[in-house]
Amino acid sequence: MRTSEKQASTFKIRSEADAIFLGSLISCNRDALFKHSQKNFPIALNLHFPKNINPGYPDLLTREISIYAHKLGERKAIKTWLRGAPLKSLSTAEITEIAFFAATHFQMDEGDHSEYGFDCTVSDITENNLALMKGLHFTTLRLSIDVSFAPKNTEILSALDLIKHYKFQEHHYRLYTEGTSWNSLSSWLVFLVKNHPAIIEIIGINESENNVPKINQVTGTMSKYAYILIGDRFFVKNSHPLALLKQQGKLQYIPPWGASHPDIKDSVGLGVGAIGRIGGAFYQNLRTEMEYVADLSEGRLPICCSGQHSNKNSQQQWKLVEQLICLHKISMPTHKSRHPAAKKTEGILEKACKNGWMTKQGTDFIMQSQGLNHMHEICTALQL
């Protein structure tokens, strides 16, 4: 791939929104990942577990962890997440081994913004599974829920009750909305907020013009229950540390994991198809287990593609996009400090104001309720 070729068709990612955010990258050598890694800052670890993995997968994952530990040096992990289907893919012994192995190579940070979490589905919620994860000191679970049916299923009710019993520090919900009407989604939200989740992530809103649920509708409903929008799909309690960082203007956004503390400079993706960011460049692992096995068996990182912003202008445009995603506003620099693309950027934002999507206050362009439904359009235009 030539250095000038865009990465939009190379990174494979489920979220349409995050595909937009990664679409402006150009190919780079994987060595570029480690040139600008900041070794004095904590990292995030995202370990990916597809369904139906082969028995040797956990051993390969520990091998990959060892390679990154060698390359990145002694670093604390402010976040460690088991993503995908860990409880379906691994035995109790394998989960225990991987948890201890990761903690041995990257010491878990225990600050206010730390997370030690795992993904799960309703069918994963059993006494044995929750006791295991609680015993391994996991603090956070993220429960995936299909909201295309009414929220009166006895299985979901018993699962939520069991989660309460184990008193994890935080629980998050990830809602899949395909085929869901606004009335159905609204009923689910009213039902779920009674359980006081720290974060509700809603997948699928605003990804199609014909999709009925819209961000501004959801935002209006969630505000009644003291939740605020971060990014384009994450609703957090207004007392949550991420909400406070938003108020302070300190959030950063790392596709596809969402908003995070600005101290996390490197987000390491491990496992088949995992996406990561190191030293300001993004990468994705090989997407089949056979390829993943082949590379790690020869001591190579199993990376299939890597990309970075092409120049300073591209980096500046991404910073503006990141502002919009995290803070729902863009603060334009003064005329003296503007970069060359500023005139074009201001034109895009002025057009958004004319459409009623944003308003201008001094040098700030602030997102309006209706504009939330067009955030992806604005982000795309800013990166062209």
Side-chain angles (χ1 to χ4, degrees):
M1 182 180 290
R2 296 186 308 273
T3 306
S4 60
E5 187 174 343
K6 288 289 183 76
Q7 289 287 308
S9 61
T10 305
F11 283 95
K12 301 297 182 185
I13 187 167
R14 176 180 291 182
S15 166
E16 180 182 316
D18 287 332
I20 291 171
F21 303 146
L22 294 176
S24 64
L25 303 178
I26 63 167
S27 178
C28 68
N29 190 293
R30 68 177 64 181
D31 292 339
L33 296 170
F34 303 99
K35 286 181 179 178
H36 303 291
S37 178
Q38 300 186 44
K39 295 189 175 182
N40 293 326
F41 287 88
I43 64 170
L45 297 176
N46 293 290
L47 290 72
H48 184 56
F49 299 91
K51 294 179 182 177
N52 305 316
I53 58 176
N54 289 321
Y57 187 80
D59 290 336
L60 292 166
L61 198 61
T62 58
R63 193 176 303 181
E64 189 181 5
I65 292 171
S66 295
I67 295 173
Y68 276 106
H70 175 72
K71 287 183 173 291
L72 295 174
E74 294 186 8
R75 305 278 289 276
K76 284 191 173 182
I78 200 170
K79 286 187 177 187
T80 300
W81 273 86
L82 306 189
R83 307 282 188 180
L87 294 171
K88 287 183 173 64
S89 304
L90 303 174
S91 68
T92 296
E94 288 170 334
I95 290 177
T96 303
E97 180 183 356
I98 286 174
F100 276 101
F101 193 86
T104 300
H105 286 75
F106 297 99
Q107 182 184 350
M108 184 63 189
D109 184 274
E110 297 183 358
D112 292 339
H113 298 275
S114 64
E115 292 176 1
Y116 193 32
F118 64 96
D119 284 349
C120 56
T121 63
V122 174
S123 62
D124 293 326
I125 304 303
T126 66
E127 291 270 7
N128 287 342
N129 282 342
L130 294 187
L132 168 66
M133 304 312 274
K134 187 73 174 180
L136 291 173
H137 304 291
F138 280 85
T139 62
T140 309
L141 68 79
R142 183 175 68 174
L143 179 65
S144 292
I145 304 173
D146 178 1
V147 296
S148 61
F149 56 90
K152 294 182 180 179
N153 184 296
T154 53
E155 188 180 16
I156 185 71
L157 293 173
S158 60
L160 295 177
D161 285 341
L162 192 56
I163 289 170
K164 286 181 189 175
H165 175 72
Y166 278 88
K167 298 180 180 177
F168 287 91
Q169 186 174 312
E170 286 189 4
H171 58 281
H172 305 172
Y173 300 148
R174 170 180 263 190
L175 311 185
Y176 290 91
T177 64
E178 184 176 355
T180 303
S181 69
W182 165 239
N183 287 338
S184 176
L185 177 58
S186 179
S187 297
W188 268 102
L189 293 173
V190 172
F191 167 68
L192 291 172
V193 295
K194 296 175 183 177
N195 295 285
H196 308 291
I199 299 176
I200 298 180
E201 178 185 2
I202 305 179
I203 302 294
I205 49 176
N206 280 16
E207 293 197 353
S208 168
E209 290 183 3
N210 298 321
N211 203 17
V212 176
K214 297 294 184 183
I215 294 180
N216 67 331
Q217 291 176 299
V218 182
T219 302
T221 295
M222 295 300 287
S223 65
K224 298 174 184 176
Y225 300 96
Y227 284 82
I228 67 166
L229 175 66
I230 288 180
D232 64 334
R233 63 185 185 274
F234 299 94
F235 291 86
V236 307
K237 293 287 288 184
N238 60 13
S239 57
H240 193 273
L242 289 178
L244 299 179
L245 286 173
K246 180 179 180 180
Q247 292 174 8
Q248 297 165 6
K250 294 181 179 179
L251 275 179
Q252 67 171 346
Y253 191 89
I254 304 177
W257 310 122
S260 66
H261 194 283
D263 280 354
I264 300 176
K265 304 301 182 184
D266 295 330
S267 186
V268 182
L270 302 139
V272 172
I275 291 177
R277 187 190 76 171
I278 298 175
F282 289 85
Y283 70 92
Q284 184 166 28
N285 275 354
L286 293 159
R287 292 182 282 272
T288 69
E289 194 171 343
M290 184 179 296
E291 294 173 310
Y292 179 80
V293 169
D295 272 29
L296 279 173
S297 297
E298 296 184 16
R300 296 192 303 266
L301 285 176
I303 294 173
C304 69
C305 59
S306 51
Q308 63 185 358
H309 296 288
S310 58
N311 52 40
K312 288 186 177 180
N313 274 350
S314 177
Q315 292 172 359
Q316 289 288 345
Q317 289 304 104
W318 167 249
K319 287 180 180 179
L320 295 177
V321 169
E322 190 174 30
Q323 269 192 60
L324 185 62
I325 299 165
C326 290
L327 309 179
H328 299 144
K329 71 175 184 179
I330 289 179
S331 298
M332 291 295 291
T334 61
H335 286 283
K336 290 182 180 180
S337 59
R338 289 190 178 187
H339 57 89
K343 188 173 182 180
K344 176 187 172 184
T345 298
E346 193 152 358
I348 293 168
L349 300 180
E350 293 283 4
K351 182 179 178 181
C353 291
K354 290 179 181 178
N355 291 335
W357 303 346
M358 305 183 83
T359 58
K360 185 177 182 182
Q361 296 181 10
T363 58
D364 291 345
F365 289 83
I366 302 169
M367 187 69 72
Q368 298 300 290
S369 175
Q370 188 63 31
L372 295 173
N373 301 331
H374 301 277
M375 200 183 316
H376 299 169
E377 294 174 50
I378 300 170
C379 289
T380 301
L382 289 169
Q383 295 181 92
L384 292 176

